[in-house]
Amino acid sequence: MWVVLASVLAARRKQAVIVAVVALLATAALAAAPWYAVRASQDVGIAAVEGASAQQRLITISWRGGFNTDSDADGEAAIRRAREQFRPAGFTGIVSATTTFDLWQPGAKKSSADVVAAAREDACQHLELIDGSCPKAKGEVTVPATLADELGLDVGDQVQLEDNDENRIPVHVTGVYDVSDPSEPYWGDGSLVERGESSSNDSLVMFTAPETLRGLDGVTHTYDLLPGAEAFATIDIDELSETLSSAVAELREQGFTASTTDFQFVIDRITEDRRNVATGVGVGVVVLLLLTWFALSVVVRGAGVQVRADIGWWRLRGAPSGRGWILALGQSIVPLVAGAVLGAGIGLGGGRLLVGDLPSDAGRSALLLALLLVALTLVGGLLAVVAAQLGTLVTPVRDLLRRIPVRRPGWRRSLVDLVLVGLATYGVVQSLVVREGVGGLSALSPVLAGLAVALVTAWAVLPLATWLASQARHSGRLRTTLIASLTARRPETHRMFALVVVGVALVTTAFVGWDTGNRTRWERAALEVGADRVVTVDVDDPARLREAVRSVDPEGTRAMAVIDQQGSTFDPPILAVDSTRLSVVAGWRDGYGGSVERVAAALRPTDVTSVQAKADRLALEAAATNATGDLYLRFHLRTVADAKPVDAIVGPLGTSRQSYAADLAACANGCRLVGVQLLGPKRADVSSGNAADAESVGHLPAPPGTQVELFPASESEPLLPPALVADPTRWRPALGPRELGPAITAGTQKSLRVTMAAVPRGKEVDLSGWAYVADTPAPLPVVAAGWQPDTTAELRVHPLPGAAVPAAIVGNAKLVPRYGAEGVLVDLTYADRLVPFPLQIGVTPQVWLSADAPPSIVDELAKAGLRPLRTESLSERLSSLRSEGTAVTERFQLLVALVGLLLAAGAVLVDAARDQTVRAAEFAALRAQGVKLRDVRAVGYGGVAALVAAGTVVGVGAGLAGAAVARRLSPGFIDGWTVLPPAAMQTSPVLVAAVTTTVVLGTVVVVSGAALLRRTRELP
């Protein structure tokens, strides 16, 4: 008996191979699905932590000495105790201590600055020491470079720190530092590196050894917990949430200040996204399992038709019925089991390699689920085999030997189809109407839409084929008549058409969804990052940033200088961009205010009219016509090559017209005149945080009412030409709302008269002695999105940190790069000219790079004086978005769709082969009756091609309907981001889906048609 079964399998090896391949594909995909879900869940955890803000990642436990206790030693012990009892898995703990002081320099009559003294674990590993060394003992400090420059501090200097009780602590400077990367997770909320809500430019941070702060009152001890992204691949989120909640509650009872509110956002995101992964992959598994059962039922049913005659002759010769069962079932069960076993091995091995190391519980669960899915596949296949052969085994011998099987009414099939269409329609409508709380039904709805279309259109196939055969017969079209007749006579036409439509619909929906999702994620990444790469650099001057970028990229196509201000409660985010290079922005869209050219023209309607020349000496004539003390003039310039500031001071000025000169060696290769400042008498020290103040160059401000007249020294003076001096319209005062600038008028001898204003009584204003060259139009042109300024007041913006300048909205946008629905764009050159002395607070100097900028450009920027701090890239942001549950589901659905298409192709191939002998005999008879060979060939290929072509056309339409449903029901981004709508559906993925299905199913048509014609030629 077993020899006979082996002989039958060998004789019908093509059908056996197809059954085995179908089982192999299905079981391999199903066995790998749990491992795919596990890997996706790991990526979700990592992406959630990496994508969270610094504040969301941070858990801080704090204890304030003098508040919680009267002893700082108790505070130090308390924070040590908190560290010992609270060590959650996946976190790194960092202990620090901070307090505030007034800094006093030797001999000073008042404090020089407000500072924060901080002792933080491993701080020096995250600082860049410009000079000196790290503090290692009590009384040693390292100071920020900005403070060192402002106060003139050097390594080895002695200073004193005064606390709130006026107790002074002597310390000495051991080093000067800069922060390598303020956004590094190590810095927590960023308060120690001038980043974050609690940072302040007025309180600079000096780092010291813990011993310096030990025993002092008012010291705040903190224990920062920073999550490691990789650890969250395998952490049990539910258990972690419970651990954090209980531990924080216990610490609060002990007097600590602690909160996990922000980090709970990360936990909730991971939980929800993993739920999305489980739902999406689970729905895909269900769809693939149902497709596998359906395809196997069609395949084994086709094989069952071929063994009818075998069973009939077997029983006619009196063979035992048990052996008939073995013969009938074995032809399908053997290849089914063989394919399933091999597929399970491939799926389990591939899935395990995909995931890598796993906790034992997770690995065991994935393995058990994979084995369960393989078992379900086998059980479904075995039931399909038994159901297909059961009718054969109980059919009388006379009917088994008939060439044409007895037809039975198909009302059961129609009833089942009607029930399925009703359920599918109900599911889609329920999902579209209710949307919330329907679980996996939303993910299943696109499949249900395709299934409903497939079943409804399948009902029309047989009547349509019958009608078409009749019409073609009457019109004498032989090929059409034969093809339509074969389609109408084929018993499995209804099932095969529905299976093809579902397979093609799944592929179309998956390709469209995958393409739409990818483009939506790319558009979001491009909006949030701004350019292909954004390099944050260390530079203290916007003008120097702009010139350095221009020197590295003179063509203006690869790099753009940007000053990024995040905004505040009252001010919108502002991007000051070099508008001549806006083409660097990634994914430019009309929502940014129009085309690149239009926005650039709006931001910079005219070129700047700089006063610049190459000169190593400045000569002029001046007179202090109204002065109560010594009066000086400060000329502020910028080098043309790299925008470095240059100051020249002349004076004291006499009351009559006299000649003055100043050396300007730095301007030998060219300088631009920025403005002239009236200065009062010299002062003993130089101290100011603002370079625009007179104190920054060692002078007192010029008193109110002071008047100076400027005369050009000669007609050839390049930096102070007569035309500039004689025209007061080419000058302007400071533009800040609190700044009261001098009166700038024409003198009597083609001179320029600058008169300090008198402070109005009862008015709080800042008296300014600056007369700036008016080389930029005012008000400042801005393009705004989502900003609604106060219409009752003068419109002002802060293009750079400092005074707000008058502005005019010249363009309305829907979006601004990096900030989305609210923000303002200004031109960096205009901003720099209107705010010549910006403050270095709350800004992020950046260089935006285009996609074609080479990696070496970062090194070139460093050589130009722009030290890179960190780099954001569109690809990294896109990778993070692709780790979300929605993206994971889209990729798995595409895999399921392709496997489903291959299953449908295998079913069509088996169905075409099952009546190949009968069709070959009919074709041979037609040839004997004089039918031309080309007509026989056309019918041989056309019988399957007609079914496949019709199913493909209908399937593409059904897939588009499913894609439309999926678009409406898509959960979107896990954080609820809706700044941009989902990308519009395009024709390219539809064409790809159509080509893919055409290639796969077309191969089936060619293979089955060629086999049929070859069999026909073998007959006499």
Side-chain angles (χ1 to χ4, degrees):
M1 181 62 219
W2 299 108
V3 176
V4 175
L5 178 59
S7 300
V8 172
L9 289 172
R12 295 180 178 141
R13 55 184 175 274
K14 292 182 181 179
Q15 289 80 0
V17 168
I18 293 174
V19 172
V21 169
V22 168
L24 184 148
L25 285 173
T27 52
L30 289 169
W35 304 99
Y36 179 87
V38 169
R39 177 56 185 270
S41 296
Q42 292 178 341
D43 293 342
V44 161
I46 295 173
V49 175
E50 291 179 341
S53 66
Q55 192 67 30
Q56 291 169 344
R57 289 196 299 259
L58 182 66
I59 297 176
T60 298
I61 313 298
S62 61
W63 182 283
R64 184 178 177 184
F67 179 79
N68 299 79
T69 66
D70 293 330
S71 171
D72 179 72
D74 291 342
E76 190 172 1
I79 210 70
R80 188 165 53 247
R81 185 175 67 253
R83 186 174 195 174
E84 291 173 354
Q85 70 183 56
F86 187 37
R87 294 176 177 268
F91 288 80
T92 300
I94 302 173
V95 170
S96 62
T98 59
T99 190
T100 58
F101 291 105
D102 291 333
L103 186 146
W104 288 77
Q105 291 179 279
K109 297 181 180 180
K110 66 175 184 178
S111 64
S112 302
D114 297 329
V115 297
V116 173
R120 188 171 177 86
E121 284 183 326
D122 302 324
C124 287
Q125 297 180 17
H126 303 270
L127 298 174
E128 181 181 354
L129 286 174
I130 300 174
D131 190 15
S133 61
C134 235
K136 298 178 181 178
K138 182 178 180 179
E140 296 181 350
V141 297
T142 180
V143 299
T146 52
L147 184 64
D149 292 340
E150 180 180 334
L151 303 182
L153 296 176
D154 290 321
V155 173
D157 286 354
Q158 300 286 331
V159 295
Q160 291 183 329
L161 303 178
E162 182 181 86
D163 61 17
N164 292 332
D165 296 329
E166 298 185 355
N167 298 316
R168 294 191 181 184
I169 304 170
V171 296
H172 69 277
V173 179
T174 63
V176 178
Y177 77 86
D178 201 351
V179 181
S180 301
D181 184 1
S183 65
E184 188 181 3
Y186 168 83
W187 295 113
D189 63 359
S191 60
L192 297 180
V193 288
E194 297 185 12
R195 178 181 59 81
E197 296 179 358
S198 58
S199 65
S200 171
N201 191 59
D202 296 329
S203 298
L204 298 171
V205 179
M206 54 174 54
F207 289 93
T208 185
E211 292 79 5
T212 304
L213 304 181
R214 188 169 295 158
L216 300 179
D217 293 335
V219 177
T220 299
H221 296 269
T222 59
Y223 173 37
D224 290 340
L225 289 164
L226 306 174
E230 294 297 330
F232 277 74
T234 55
I235 281 179
D236 187 326
I237 291 298
D238 294 333
E239 181 180 345
L240 175 63
S241 181
E242 294 178 2
T243 300
L244 293 179
S245 298
S246 60
V248 167
E250 182 178 350
L251 289 171
R252 286 174 180 165
E253 292 178 356
Q254 299 175 21
F256 291 92
T257 300
S259 174
T260 61
T261 303
D262 292 325
F263 189 74
Q264 188 63 42
F265 169 83
V266 179
I267 292 177
D268 294 342
R269 173 177 172 175
I270 294 174
T271 301
E272 184 177 352
D273 221 5
R274 284 181 175 173
R275 188 182 301 116
N276 289 342
V277 170
T279 300
V281 175
V283 168
V285 166
V286 170
V287 171
L288 184 56
L289 197 57
L290 293 176
L291 273 176
T292 301
W293 288 346
F294 187 35
L296 286 175
S297 68
V298 173
V299 169
V300 299
R301 187 180 181 87
V305 172
Q306 293 182 326
V307 303
R308 290 174 61 87
D310 297 342
I311 301 299
W313 287 111
W314 188 270
R315 290 172 59 187
L316 187 64
R317 288 174 171 77
S321 58
R323 295 184 179 181
W325 279 88
I326 295 175
L327 179 62
L329 299 179
Q331 296 186 50
S332 297
I333 290 178
V334 171
L336 173 65
V337 173
V341 171
L342 182 58
I346 294 174
L348 290 174
R352 193 66 185 83
L353 289 175
L354 174 69
V355 174
D357 294 333
L358 274 180
S360 58
D361 292 343
R364 191 181 306 110
S365 299
L367 178 60
L368 291 176
L369 184 55
L371 294 176
L372 176 61
L373 292 175
V374 172
L376 288 175
T377 305
L378 275 174
V379 169
L382 293 175
L383 290 176
V385 171
V386 173
Q389 300 296 353
L390 185 61
T392 300
L393 293 170
V394 299
T395 300
V397 175
R398 65 177 182 274
D399 292 333
L400 290 174
L401 297 177
R402 289 168 56 97
R403 295 182 61 187
I404 299 176
V406 178
R407 287 186 177 272
R408 294 180 174 83
W411 63 270
R412 295 183 183 88
R413 180 183 63 192
S414 299
L415 180 61
V416 172
D417 289 350
L418 184 61
V419 171
L420 289 176
V421 170
L423 291 175
T425 304
Y426 173 80
V428 173
V429 173
Q430 180 79 354
S431 298
L432 291 173
V433 174
V434 179
R435 303 197 67 169
E436 299 292 338
V438 294
L441 189 59
S442 295
L444 192 59
S445 291
V447 181
L448 295 178
L451 177 63
V453 173
L455 294 177
V456 170
T457 54
W459 288 340
V461 171
L462 293 179
L464 181 61
T466 302
W467 174 83
L468 186 60
S470 175
Q471 294 296 316
R473 184 174 67 254
H474 289 303
S475 61
R477 290 176 292 171
L478 178 62
R479 296 181 183 180
T480 305
T481 301
L482 292 175
I483 292 173
S485 297
L486 289 174
T487 302
R489 290 172 55 194
R490 192 185 299 272
E492 296 295 329
T493 294
H494 174 273
R495 289 188 179 89
M496 295 308 306
F497 182 82
L499 181 59
V500 169
V501 171
V502 170
V504 175
L506 285 177
V507 171
T508 304
T509 300
F511 269 112
V512 171
W514 177 74
D515 173 74
T516 302
N518 266 349
R519 286 187 291 109
T520 301
R521 285 183 286 275
W522 190 92
E523 289 176 358
R524 174 178 178 176
L527 174 64
E528 292 182 335
V529 177
D532 184 74
R533 282 170 291 161
V534 173
V535 183
T536 299
V537 295
D538 181 20
V539 63
D540 57 2
D541 193 321
R544 295 182 64 185
L545 169 68
R546 182 191 63 242
E547 297 306 324
V549 172
R550 289 182 175 181
S551 68
V552 170
D553 177 31
E555 294 84 6
T557 58
R558 300 180 301 165
M560 176 175 70
V562 177
I563 296 293
D564 184 353
Q565 297 182 76
Q566 294 187 358
S568 62
T569 304
F570 304 103
D571 297 311
I574 297 177
L575 288 179
V577 300
D578 190 350
S579 59
T580 60
R581 297 162 176 251
L582 281 177
S583 59
V584 169
V585 176
W588 184 274
R589 52 198 310 124
D590 288 340
Y592 291 156
S595 65
V596 170
E597 295 77 13
R598 178 179 177 181
V599 174
L603 293 177
R604 188 189 285 193
T606 60
D607 289 334
V608 293
T609 55
S610 301
V611 177
Q612 60 184 43
K614 295 180 179 180
D616 57 2
R617 184 175 179 274
L618 173 66
L620 74 153
E621 294 182 357
T625 56
N626 185 16
T628 58
D630 288 346
L631 199 64
Y632 296 80
L633 290 177
R634 172 191 180 187
F635 290 85
H636 187 69
L637 306 98
R638 293 272 188 169
T639 58
V640 174
D642 52 11
K644 289 183 178 178
V646 178
D647 281 318
I649 299 177
V650 297
L653 304 180
T655 57
S656 61
R657 181 175 177 176
Q658 298 180 25
S659 298
Y660 301 93
D663 292 331
L664 293 174
C667 294
N669 293 322
C671 274
R672 170 178 63 86
L673 179 61
V674 175
V676 181
Q677 183 184 22
L678 274 62
L679 302 175
K682 293 183 178 181
R683 54 178 289 172
D685 58 342
V686 178
S687 176
S688 173
N690 189 344
D693 294 343
E695 291 84 351
S696 67
V697 290
H699 284 260
L700 295 173
T706 299
Q707 186 177 90
V708 172
E709 232 175 299
L710 299 178
F711 308 88
S714 67
E715 294 291 332
S716 61
E717 172 57 43
L719 286 175
L720 204 63
L724 176 67
V725 175
D727 187 359
T729 63
R730 296 184 62 182
W731 299 82
R732 64 166 179 84
L735 299 176
R738 290 173 50 89
E739 292 179 307
L740 182 59
I744 305 173
T745 58
T748 57
Q749 303 177 29
K750 295 184 179 181
S751 60
L752 187 72
R753 184 173 297 159
V754 183
T755 306
M756 292 291 294
V759 179
R761 181 175 299 177
K763 299 291 185 180
E764 293 184 1
V765 296
D766 296 327
L767 200 61
S768 170
W770 279 102
Y772 294 108
V773 177
D775 51 7
T776 302
L780 175 69
V782 304
V783 173
W787 180 40
Q788 298 179 345
D790 185 2
T791 57
T792 63
E794 181 186 23
L795 178 62
R796 287 178 173 269
V797 298
H798 295 83
L800 296 172
V805 301
I809 297 178
V810 296
N812 291 303
K814 296 179 180 178
L815 301 166
V816 168
R818 291 185 74 87
Y819 290 105
E822 183 181 13
V824 170
L825 288 177
V826 301
D827 180 74
L828 179 58
T829 300
Y830 278 16
D832 167 57
R833 302 300 173 89
L834 295 178
V835 188
F837 299 96
L839 302 176
Q840 297 307 307
I841 177 174
V843 297
T844 306
Q846 298 171 340
V847 181
W848 291 17
L849 302 176
S850 65
D852 59 352
S856 60
I857 197 171
V858 177
D859 295 332
E860 295 177 26
L861 291 171
K863 293 178 181 178
L866 305 180
R867 183 171 64 92
L869 297 179
R870 65 182 181 274
T871 301
E872 304 171 67
S873 71
L874 192 152
S875 60
E876 289 177 354
R877 181 60 180 137
L878 190 57
S879 176
S880 176
L881 294 175
R882 285 173 176 167
S883 298
E884 291 190 358
T886 304
V888 170
T889 299
E890 289 171 359
R891 293 194 292 272
F892 188 73
Q893 287 172 346
L894 183 58
L895 174 64
V896 168
L898 293 174
V899 174
L901 179 63
L902 293 175
L903 295 179
V908 172
L909 193 59
V910 170
D911 183 67
R914 71 184 182 88
D915 56 357
Q916 191 177 95
T917 303
V918 177
R919 293 288 91 79
E922 293 174 349
F923 284 3
L926 289 173
R927 288 286 292 136
Q929 294 172 26
V931 177
K932 296 179 180 179
L933 178 61
R934 62 175 178 269
D935 293 329
V936 173
R937 183 182 293 111
V939 175
Y941 286 106
V944 178
L947 180 70
V948 166
T952 300
V953 173
V954 175
V956 170
L960 289 174
V965 172
R967 180 183 174 86
R968 288 285 305 275
L969 299 177
S970 173
F973 295 103
I974 190 63
D975 57 0
W977 191 87
T978 56
V979 176
L980 291 175
M985 291 192 297
Q986 294 185 343
T987 57
S988 54
V990 180
L991 293 176
V992 172
V995 170
T996 301
T997 55
T998 299
V999 170
V1000 174
L1001 298 177
T1003 302
V1004 172
V1005 170
V1006 172
V1007 171
S1008 61
L1012 176 58
L1013 293 175
R1014 185 168 56 251
R1015 186 68 175 272
T1016 301
R1017 287 193 296 268
E1018 293 174 354
L1019 297 177

